[in-house]
Amino acid sequence: MEVQPECILVTGGAGFIGSAVIRYLLNNTGAVVINLDKLTYAANPAALQEFASHLRYRFVRACITDREALRSVFASHCPGAVMHLAAETHVDRSIDEPMNFVSTNVIGTAILLETVRAYLSSTSRRKKQDFRFHHISTDEVFGSLDEGGGERFSETTSYAPRSPYAASKAGSDHLVRAWRETYGLPVVLSNCCNNYGPWQFPEKLIPLMTIKALKGETLPVYGRGGQIRDWIHVDDHAAALHTILTRGELGESYNVGADCERRNLEVVQSICDLVDDEAPLEDGSCRRELITFVADRPGHDLRYAIDASKIRTQLGWQPRESFASGLAKTVKWYMEHADWWQRASDSYGGDRLGLGGLTEVVAS
């Protein structure tokens, strides 16, 4: 049964993927959108600046661990759906600060689920019937695949998380399914591969390497850069998420991917070539010469690959961007928005991001 919620609560809506979802909803639906975000270091308020005075947009600054704030939002706005994206997402940070990930990703999700359960218990049968809770997760919960195998993650792949981040997201996935089985909560789930695109915080691989290449700095890559990731443009992901929310079957999960597997080294090399084409170095050298290899991080998964056949065949979704077209647009965007990423770097500290001479790669 297809649903078209009149009001959608997006948690983590000021984040990279969350802001893309909100842009999609405001541009392509008639729904009122409530953005609930804590505004951590990685939030992108500028990514939604054009909608600041939009008649269908509301912003609430709050954390999903704040029970009273959540109750107030549901009481005030009566959303017909939740798209739950609020999460700590960076693997390297989870290794350094694991309890922050447990608090937000596990405890926060449990508090949100309980808030929704209480809200639905007091609402009308019709609103309860049409309500959807969409939990957005990651392919990292499935662990790592063999480098040369043809296997890909499906919706039935066993969970085998290998980092605190992945484990915290796996825990939240299990909670959502448990609330479905135990309390009958109307949930759908999705697990997506690596996202890229505009407004991504400069600690992630593609923006970080683009910025460092623009500045002519060393491009440090973990190990030998052989890790393989499946990539999707964030706008394609946003469209997929809306499709799952409105057309997905309750209790089901859907993997989202664009069949764009690349080694990390290949991605960095492609970025070098794109930046060279647009802004050649004065000495005529190639930016690939800036690539250096650094010690690998603990528990670095070798390969991720998504089997997205279920969402394609059952829900009719297809990605629009190839990796080549999407990466070219993304690199160009960062080249044209130096003011934004420079502010983001300065506000959090360029050295921490590897933008102040620190030989640190922050790749997912």
Side-chain angles (χ1 to χ4, degrees), residues 196-197 206 230-233 236 258-262 266-267 269-271 273-275 277-278 319-333:
Y196 68 97
I206 288 176
D230 205 346
W231 294 91
I232 187 171
H233 193 279
D236 281 332
D259 293 328
C260 294
E261 289 185 57
R262 297 289 188 282
E266 292 178 75
V267 174
Q269 289 172 336
S270 295
I271 291 169
D273 296 343
L274 288 166
V275 176
D277 288 343
E278 295 292 330
R320 293 185 177 184
E321 296 285 356
S322 68
F323 187 69
S325 66
L327 184 64
K329 291 177 182 177
T330 299
V331 169
K332 184 176 181 180
W333 187 91

Side-chain angles (χ1 to χ4, degrees), residues 142-164:
F142 300 122
S144 183
L145 294 169
D146 291 337
E147 178 181 5
E151 182 184 4
R152 296 186 292 171
F153 298 134
S154 74
E155 288 79 5
T156 59
T157 298
S158 297
Y159 278 29
R162 286 160 45 91
S163 71

